[in-house]
Amino acid sequence: MKTFPVSHWKSSTPAVDPFFSNVTLLLHFDGANGSTTFTDSSSYAHNVPNTVTSSANLSTSQIKFGTASGEFIKANSDGIEVTQITNEMAFGTGDFTIEWWLYDTYSMGNSNGIFSTAPAVNPPNYGVSITLNGGSGSASGSVGIYRNWAVAICSFAITNFVDNAWQHYALVRSSGSMAFYSGGVAMTKTPAETEARDFQNVHAIIGQFYST
């Protein structure tokens, strides 16, 4: 599985994002093939060491933008940890967007972690965890949104899931309601509990189901 977050623009006249000050993590995954250096281009410039697993790295075999992409080979066991976080990853009850590009190269089973600020246990602090499920050669899949490792907030059926091609995904919470977009198309939601949950956990991992 290769992931590449959005908002990486190449042009002779750089675009100006009026909301850039609200971006808390921006990973282009640019660099040399096999590198384990992951640079956060947001104004927070978080340290993103490869401390969770030695398998996650940069790869030039598939590139959407820039010079490389992030390669996470092992489903839900490869991951990189975002450190030096204060409270910018605590989404609270407010609006947020988490978006990324994915190039799926193998048959995906269940609960493949994409991004998580969720803890492995119950409160004091909840977080949000995104898991993606799919199958090789299948046009369908699903995504689950969790507040810890076991308790789902909602899920979405993905009707346009693709293998061996880049696809853009985005999770959006607006005015307390969650929506999920695959290739720019809103997917059908199955709610499970309140979507206006107060997310206060500040630990973040990319490529795994939950953080600690």
Side-chain angles (χ1 to χ4, degrees):
M1 178 175 66
K2 301 174 185 297
T3 63
F4 182 83
V6 76
S7 301
H8 188 105
W9 303 100
K10 299 288 186 180
S11 67
S12 58
T13 304
V16 177
D17 182 355
F19 302 105
F20 182 76
S21 61
N22 295 327
V23 176
T24 58
L25 183 67
L26 178 59
L27 299 177
H28 297 315
F29 290 120
D30 283 341
N33 188 57
S35 173
T36 56
T37 298
F38 309 99
T39 302
D40 176 20
S41 297
S42 76
S43 58
Y44 290 92
H46 295 101
N47 186 32
V48 191
N50 188 1
T51 56
V52 179
T53 175
S54 61
S55 298
N57 62 81
L58 300 181
S59 173
T60 57
S61 63
Q62 296 292 341
I63 301 174
K64 179 62 177 177
F65 302 109
T67 60
S69 62
E71 185 172 49
F72 302 84
I73 297 295
K74 300 175 183 178
N76 203 37
S77 60
D78 277 355
I80 55 176
E81 182 179 15
V82 183
T83 61
Q84 298 175 330
I85 299 172
T86 52
N87 64 354
E88 63 274 9
M89 291 291 181
F91 301 138
T93 58
D95 298 347
F96 65 83
T97 297
I98 302 170
E99 56 181 333
W100 67 97
W101 286 91
L102 173 72
Y103 190 104
D104 176 41
T105 58
Y106 64 95
S107 179
M108 297 181 68
N110 293 325
S111 301
N112 295 280
I114 298 296
F115 175 83
S116 181
T117 66
V121 295
N122 286 320
N125 292 325
Y126 289 118
V128 58
S129 183
I130 303 172
T131 67
L132 189 63
N133 312 306
S136 180
S138 173
S140 63
S142 65
V143 63
I145 314 301
Y146 293 77
R147 60 175 166 86
N148 61 24
W149 73 276
V151 181
I153 297 172
C154 58
S155 63
F156 298 86
I158 302 176
T159 56
N160 59 351
F161 186 85
V162 292
D163 280 316
N164 298 307
W166 288 102
Q167 181 82 312
H168 179 261
Y169 298 99
L171 172 68
V172 178
R173 183 171 72 178
S174 178
S175 299
S177 179
M178 288 190 178
F180 187 81
Y181 299 88
S182 175
V185 180
M187 299 290 103
T188 300
K189 177 171 62 179
T190 301
E193 65 159 44
T194 177
E195 298 168 23
R197 179 73 62 179
D198 186 5
F199 298 126
Q200 290 297 333
N201 206 45
V202 296
H203 194 94
I205 285 181
I206 298 169
Q208 284 192 337
F209 182 74
Y210 64 84
S211 55
T212 55

